[in-house]
Amino acid sequence: MATIAELKIRIDLHDLAERLGLERPKSGGNYKSPHHKDKNPSLAIPASKNSPDTWRDYSGDKGGDIVDLVEYVRGLDTSEAVKWLHEQYGIPFDKPDQGEKRQLSTVEWIALKCRDDQDSPGWKEKAITWLVEQRGISKEVAERAVQKGAVGWNAWTSTKVEQGQPGYGGEGVAFIVRNLVDGRTVAVDMRYQDPELNGGVKTQTQGEKFGFPWFADAQRLKKAHTIYWVESSINALSVESCGLKGVAAVSIRGTGNAGNIDLTLGQGKKNIICMDNDEPDEHGKRPGAEAAWTLYERLTALDIAAHLVDQADWEHNDVNDILKAEGADALKHLIRDKFEPWIIPGLCGDADKRKGRPRLFLPPHDFGKYWLYRAKEDFTTYVNKVEKDDDGGPDKLNFGDLCGFRVAGLSRVTIASAVSVMSGEQDSQPRTLFACSVQVPRHGSKLERKVFADEQLHNVDQWKKFGPVFAPAAFSRMLTILERAAHLGARDAVNFVGLAWRDGKLQVNEGKDCFFVDPEKQCQYHNLRFPSGSPADGKRVLDAYQGTFKHNAAALLLVWSLGGHLKPLLGYWPHLTLQARKGAGKSTLIKRLERTIAFQMFSGQSLQTEFRLLTTISHTSHPVGWEEISARRQDVIDKAVAMLQENYQYTVTRRGSDMTEYLLSAPVLLAGEDVPVDSLIGKLVRVSLKDPGPLMPEGLPRFPVRQWLEFLSTLTRDRLMEMHAASREQCSKMCRATGQDSGARRMVENYSALVTAWRLLCEFLEIPNNYGNLLHDLWAEMNAHISETSGDRHPWVWILSTICSEIAGNKYHYPYKVEHDAEGRAYLAIMTSHCMHHIKTSPGLRAIWDQLPVKSDRVFKSQLREAGLIHLEDTSATIGNHRQTHMVGLNLEKMAEYGLHVAEKQEGYANAP
């Protein structure tokens, strides 16, 4: 379990107060006391400037650290409070077999020392003074960064390296980098006060250099409506020193981080990019500008609107230089009001102001028109008239409206074929499309994306779906220029939501990563973002599911849902039937599953046609649900069953005049009291809800599906197949059916897939395989399923069951007779060809005939022989004064074992007296 010191580093007191439900006026300030009516808020966080990690309730004379606050609000003891903090923030507990507490990592230890008065006396004053006096940061911003634990002071020097040599160290400000998800310290960036003591090295990083940004205040960042992306932590503090409301700044910690940092924290916010204004090197390259272009392309790919600050007239290198030289007001004006006006961000339309190598080269006939177009935040204009000044002054430009949106990006996208996506094989049929990202006023900072085929790109009517196009001719001319930039942001993509193969490697694909031509129809998860969290959250979810129904019924449903993403590795995944009587809690459980993993359940009313069925299961391995499919028309049921047969693995189909592609792949949950799946027994597993327990708590976190998929993406196919083979062998040993039952072997294969998923889930959650006794409950369900469906698995059973029903209803118009052999054993004399012909030609049995997998008399007879039902191979009988030959004698006792009974009559023409 983490120490209290670790928890202090990772947990913000203000965030904790919000999670505990403490009230605070909108204007800020103190919180209201949790235990009495508080007219004037009296709970202060922090307790004082000198104690940033403490709180005090002055009305109750209570105070302390984060653990004390949980004890005070929730009435817990110390151990319970620490446990609550671990669970609330997803901080994992140590494994049970570890005898010692987890040791602080080197980086966490360094961060702790940088904020310890014993190791760095007066460190707060030193850090604040250096930021304010040396870098021009406002005192309020510097104090807040120190209070939030984002800034410390380093006083360490090496005893092994001589002073003046690299690695010696020395005093300097420390920027503490934390993971935004769990608050864990991942790096400390040092900026030395006297670099000469450290051999001239001005900065140094301990911990993770790449992949993690720096921010001063996590809560400020989450609540901000605008984010500035800058290159260094000092630049981030410089931006926040401008006093812009609702604004937070994020440092990418160097240009090398532009391509690998997590940008999802910018979703739903206005994003402004302001890298350093570097001078070009001998090759014309500008690292700051190129990092800005990379960030812009990546944000656009995430459908996040971004803008570049216009640096054409800058005389300084970065925002901190401007802050020091010109003050906060001048910096505020430059970064708030002056964005690049060009339709291709990063490509200046004024050749006189261009620095270094341009982002791309335009041919003269295009560049000669490029300068005419101006992009606003969510609007586009163009120069429709140039008026010459008679006195020799600058020309006057008259602007006209071009379109009611801004084209943020037009990129070429290569879509992998379905076979490559599902198998990992080399792609032999890729397809090229064009992704157009547009910012419109109605969607704010979220870009609207559409995918065009080649022939649709210059169809202005397609663009009018974004918004109005006021000047179609000028707009078409702009498109010919934007085509030149199609390689910017070009990418290889996979139209599949879940775990997919791309270029022979597994990757996690969300809805935003896909480029569907018609997303609403092609994939129901086209806008899905997988729930995120920590494995500790996942364990809490599993515990709740294991407790809500006995025999792990709900937990088995969860395992099946999460394991569906193994389909690209296994090549198949069974469907699942959820059986429950009325009032057993089936609907409640399904609703909780929807909340837990972002699962989608479709009502029977929405599944009335074949096309609607098809659209629900396309382009994903994330499971979907069909509610009460048995209540639909028979033709709908037949089409649904046919799709499920194909969907057990995957199938590609194309529909419509434009031949839109659909990849049928989603595992399906079939819920209801009577699910019509006799022909699907070999392609599904079952969960029975019998003994409901307590309801799951309302505050249950969502399962970390995103992290689960990232864990699965590290698997190799060889390892998974080894695990599956071991699971299949174990399931076979636990199976009650004989090895000769091919149908049972198929069902064992399906249940072994669930066992494989469970073992991987245990590895992900760091729990033992026997956790909650789930495997034994799974095997019990498997054996019950095999036992209860022993007859339903065989097509010959369906055929004979139909014939027996027809005989009982006096509708079978072919000869049959119940005879006895010399030993008195009864058998049914009948002709198999007559049985098949009767089902085929009877109008009332047409639906049954259509869904039969066996339609040949020869195959039907062969199956009867293999099942041991044929008592006599070639027999004859006198029926209605006629001698019938070449009949088979079916053992009635054997038929009874499968629930098949014949209404005995002495003579068997239908309607005979």
Side-chain angles (χ1 to χ4, degrees):
M1 189 177 291
T3 64
I4 294 177
E6 287 181 86
L7 294 175
K8 285 182 180 181
I9 293 176
R10 300 173 64 173
I11 297 174
D12 180 75
L13 261 173
H14 288 281
D15 179 63
L16 177 59
E18 289 184 8
R19 299 197 186 202
L20 289 169
L22 296 183
E23 295 184 38
R24 189 186 195 189
K26 293 183 179 179
S27 58
N30 292 345
Y31 295 82
K32 292 185 179 181
S33 178
H35 298 305
H36 61 82
K37 291 185 178 181
D38 212 357
K39 292 183 179 180
N40 297 315
S42 58
L43 195 150
I45 297 178
S48 66
K49 290 184 178 180
N50 295 326
S51 302
D53 298 327
T54 60
W55 60 275
R56 176 157 292 278
D57 186 352
Y58 291 96
S59 64
D61 197 25
K62 297 287 186 180
D65 56 20
I66 55 173
V67 177
D68 297 317
L69 184 59
V70 177
E71 294 177 14
Y72 180 57
V73 175
R74 300 183 67 90
L76 306 176
D77 60 26
T78 301
S79 62
E80 292 173 335
V82 171
K83 181 180 179 182
W84 185 90
L85 287 168
H86 276 79
E87 293 176 346
Q88 185 69 23
Y89 284 89
I91 300 172
F93 295 93
D94 288 326
K95 297 179 182 178
D97 58 349
Q98 290 180 334
E100 300 180 357
K101 295 181 178 179
R102 186 183 72 84
Q103 297 295 316
L104 287 175
S105 67
T106 301
V107 172
E108 290 171 323
W109 182 84
I110 292 173
L112 201 60
K113 293 296 182 181
C114 289
R115 294 178 55 80
D116 191 338
D117 281 314
Q118 293 182 357
D119 294 281
S120 303
W123 69 269
K124 297 175 187 175
E125 291 75 15
K126 290 180 181 179
I128 293 171
T129 300
W130 188 88
L131 290 172
V132 173
E133 296 182 358
Q134 299 296 320
R135 309 309 302 183
I137 307 300
S138 76
K139 187 174 182 180
E140 179 186 356
V141 170
E143 288 177 347
R144 186 176 67 244
V146 168
Q147 175 191 326
K148 296 297 182 180
V151 170
W153 187 262
N154 175 65
W156 179 86
T157 56
S158 175
T159 57
K160 299 180 180 179
V161 179
E162 293 184 5
Q163 182 175 314
Q165 297 297 318
Y168 173 76
E171 290 196 273
V173 69
F175 297 97
I176 299 169
V177 183
R178 290 175 177 159
N179 188 338
L180 187 61
V181 176
D182 58 12
R184 182 183 291 273
T185 300
V186 293
V188 178
D189 295 335
M190 312 288 189
R191 189 177 182 96
Y192 295 104
Q193 190 175 26
D194 185 0
E196 296 304 320
L197 296 177
N198 194 41
V201 178
K202 182 170 62 176
T203 61
Q204 186 176 351
T205 294
Q206 296 289 339
E208 296 288 345
K209 175 63 177 174
F210 299 109
F212 295 95
W214 180 90
F215 43 84
D217 184 352
Q219 291 307 306
R220 179 187 178 98
L221 179 59
K222 291 176 181 177
K223 294 177 180 179
H225 58 69
T226 301
I227 290 182
Y228 279 83
W229 297 90
V230 294
E231 199 167 312
S232 70
S233 304
I234 291 175
N235 285 340
L237 293 175
S238 301
V239 170
E240 296 190 356
S241 295
C242 293
L244 295 169
K245 293 185 178 180
V247 168
V250 177
S251 162
I252 67 170
R253 302 169 61 219
T255 57
N257 238 356
N260 55 44
I261 203 167
D262 182 12
L263 302 179
T264 55
L265 57 90
Q267 289 175 330
K269 307 177 189 296
K270 182 177 179 179
N271 289 257
I272 300 172
I273 302 170
C274 188
M275 297 291 109
D276 290 358
N277 183 32
D278 298 322
E279 292 297 322
D281 61 13
E282 64 273 15
H283 302 292
K285 292 186 176 181
R286 303 173 62 217
E290 293 185 8
W293 303 340
T294 299
L295 286 175
Y296 183 88
E297 290 173 7
R298 294 186 61 215
L299 286 166
T300 302
L302 294 172
D303 296 333
I304 300 173
H307 305 275
L308 302 183
V309 172
D310 189 2
Q311 299 177 332
D313 298 322
W314 276 28
E315 297 178 356
H316 302 281
N317 179 258
D318 60 22
V319 293
N320 186 249
D321 291 341
I322 298 173
L323 178 67
K324 291 190 297 181
E326 302 183 27
D329 290 339
L331 178 59
K332 180 195 297 186
H333 173 65
L334 289 175
I335 65 176
R336 184 188 62 183
D337 303 325
K338 290 191 175 183
F339 300 150
E340 283 195 1
W342 310 111
I343 58 174
I344 300 177
L347 181 62
C348 183
D350 188 345
D352 295 332
K353 295 183 177 181
R354 181 185 296 173
K355 286 184 180 180
R357 296 179 59 183
R359 191 179 180 196
L360 76 157
F361 290 94
L362 291 178
H365 64 277
D366 281 337
F367 190 74
K369 297 291 183 181
Y370 175 71
W371 70 274
L372 296 173
Y373 297 94
R374 299 291 193 277
K376 309 294 184 183
E377 185 172 339
D378 49 24
F379 199 84
T380 309
T381 61
Y382 75 110
V383 177
N384 58 9
K385 186 177 181 180
V386 180
E387 296 182 2
K388 298 290 184 181
D389 191 312
D390 296 335
D391 298 329
D395 297 338
K396 182 180 179 181
L397 305 180
N398 293 325
F399 287 90
D401 295 342
L402 181 67
C403 57
F405 51 85
R406 173 179 70 96
V407 180
L410 172 60
S411 302
R412 185 168 51 246
V413 182
T414 303
I415 307 296
S417 66
V419 174
S420 173
V421 170
M422 297 302 294
S423 66
E425 299 296 330
Q426 184 176 359
D427 196 358
S428 57
Q429 290 184 306
R431 184 185 180 193
T432 299
L433 299 172
F434 293 90
C436 306
S437 299
V438 167
Q439 186 174 6
V440 296
R442 61 184 178 274
H443 288 299
S445 295
K446 183 181 184 302
L447 298 180
E448 186 177 359
R449 183 203 296 174
K450 289 189 184 298
V451 179
F452 294 155
D454 198 279
E455 64 277 7
Q456 297 175 315
L457 192 56
H458 282 276
N459 187 339
V460 178
D461 290 335
Q462 294 288 338
W463 289 90
K464 287 181 179 179
K465 295 178 180 179
F466 289 119
V469 176
F470 305 111
F475 184 83
S476 295
R477 184 68 182 93
M478 182 185 72
L479 287 180
T480 62
I481 297 174
L482 292 177
E483 278 186 292
R484 303 283 184 183
H487 65 284
L488 300 178
R491 70 212 80 167
D492 296 327
V494 170
N495 275 351
F496 191 83
V497 179
L499 198 64
W501 293 96
R502 190 178 76 177
D503 298 330
K505 297 180 180 179
L506 283 171
Q507 70 169 32
V508 181
N509 240 41
E510 294 185 330
K512 61 181 173 56
D513 302 315
C514 300
F515 296 85
F516 297 110
V517 175
D518 196 350
E520 297 286 347
K521 295 178 181 177
Q522 284 184 272
C523 182
Q524 296 297 326
Y525 292 128
H526 66 91
N527 56 354
L528 175 65
R529 289 176 58 192
F530 291 117
S532 291
S534 66
D537 293 333
K539 186 176 180 298
R540 287 180 61 193
V541 171
L542 178 62
D543 290 340
Y545 272 75
Q546 287 191 319
T548 191
F549 275 91
K550 295 181 181 179
H551 310 297
N552 278 296
L556 287 174
L557 175 62
L558 180 66
V559 172
W560 171 84
S561 302
L562 296 170
H565 293 285
L566 291 173
K567 179 178 276 193
L569 282 162
L570 282 177
Y572 76 97
W573 190 257
H575 306 297
L576 181 139
T577 58
L578 184 63
Q579 295 187 336
R581 64 181 183 274
K582 287 292 184 183
K586 170 176 64 68
S587 298
T588 301
L589 177 59
I590 290 174
K591 289 299 179 185
R592 292 311 299 263
L593 185 67
E594 289 178 338
R595 293 163 55 182
T596 301
I597 65 168
F599 164 83
Q600 195 164 357
M601 192 78 183
F602 295 95
S603 67
Q605 189 64 31
S606 64
L607 304 172
Q608 296 282 15
T609 66
E610 181 180 4
F611 184 71
R612 289 184 180 181
L613 288 166
L614 179 145
T615 58
T616 63
I617 59 175
S618 183
H619 292 285
T620 183
S621 57
H622 202 55
V624 299
W626 289 353
E627 182 72 59
E628 296 291 356
I629 193 69
S630 59
R632 303 304 107 203
R633 301 189 312 271
Q634 186 59 47
D635 64 318
V636 175
I637 294 175
D638 294 341
K639 292 171 182 175
V641 171
M643 284 189 186
L644 293 176
Q645 293 277 7
E646 299 174 351
N647 200 30
Y648 179 69
Q649 295 178 333
Y650 70 92
T651 305
V652 179
T653 184
R654 291 177 173 83
R655 298 295 178 95
S657 58
D658 55 353
M659 298 298 286
T660 304
E661 183 178 270
Y662 295 87
L663 172 60
L664 311 187
S665 54
V668 179
L669 166 64
L670 300 165
E673 292 186 81
D674 183 19
V675 183
V677 290
D678 286 349
S679 61
L680 284 171
I681 294 297
K683 295 185 177 179
L684 54 81
V685 292
R686 187 184 73 179
V687 169
S688 303
L689 303 180
K690 297 176 182 177
D691 302 312
L695 292 175
M696 285 182 273
E698 285 298 321
L700 194 67
R702 305 178 85 185
F703 191 89
V705 180
R706 174 80 194 190
Q707 286 69 28
W708 161 246
L709 294 181
E710 290 172 349
F711 165 75
L712 293 183
S713 67
T714 63
L715 295 173
T716 62
R717 179 172 273 145
D718 290 342
R719 185 190 171 212
L720 184 73
M721 299 312 291
E722 288 177 4
M723 293 183 68
H724 185 244
S727 300
R728 182 172 56 243
E729 182 179 354
Q730 193 167 13
C731 286
S732 298
K733 292 179 180 178
M734 302 300 296
C735 179
R736 65 173 59 178
T738 65
Q740 304 300 318
D741 190 338
S742 59
R745 288 200 302 271
R746 182 71 170 274
M747 296 176 73
V748 166
E749 185 85 9
N750 292 329
Y751 280 95
S752 65
L754 258 67
V755 173
T756 304
W758 167 249
R759 287 179 171 157
L760 288 169
L761 190 60
C762 291
E763 186 176 336
F764 172 67
L765 299 179
E766 297 184 346
I767 57 177
N769 288 338
N770 60 355
Y771 191 81
N773 210 30
L774 185 137
L775 282 179
H776 289 85
D777 290 329
L778 188 152
W779 288 323
E781 185 70 63
M782 175 188 72
N783 282 321
H785 194 191
I786 290 174
S787 176
E788 294 171 18
T789 60
S790 59
D792 297 338
R793 296 194 299 269
H794 308 291
W796 64 263
V797 177
W798 313 335
I799 296 171
L800 277 187
S801 176
T802 302
I803 296 301
C804 288
S805 298
E806 290 292 287
I807 290 174
N810 209 29
K811 297 177 183 178
Y812 187 69
H813 302 291
Y814 295 93
Y816 70 91
K817 189 176 183 180
V818 175
E819 292 275 28
H820 295 78
D821 63 11
E823 298 177 0
R825 290 176 295 186
Y827 63 89
L828 172 65
I830 200 168
M831 294 188 69
T832 55
S833 58
H834 290 167
C835 295
M836 302 304 293
H837 193 264
H838 177 77
I839 298 175
K840 180 179 180 180
T841 58
S842 299
L845 303 179
R846 186 65 191 178
I848 295 177
W849 174 261
D850 289 341
Q851 65 178 350
L852 278 179
V854 172
K855 292 182 170 65
S856 164
D857 160 50
R858 176 180 55 81
V859 175
F860 174 44
K861 190 173 183 178
S862 174
Q863 290 186 349
L864 291 173
R865 186 179 298 111
E866 290 178 4
L869 244 73
I870 297 181
H871 183 63
L872 296 173
E873 280 281 356
D874 190 1
T875 186
S876 59
T878 302
I879 304 174
N881 299 320
H882 294 279
R883 189 67 177 174
Q884 301 293 333
T885 58
H886 305 297
M887 306 178 84
V888 293
L890 304 181
N891 191 318
L892 291 183
E893 290 185 5
K894 193 71 173 177
M895 286 176 61
E897 293 178 6
Y898 290 90
L900 302 173
H901 304 278
V902 179
E904 281 196 50
K905 292 168 61 177
Q906 287 300 112
E907 310 206 15
Y909 279 114
N911 302 318

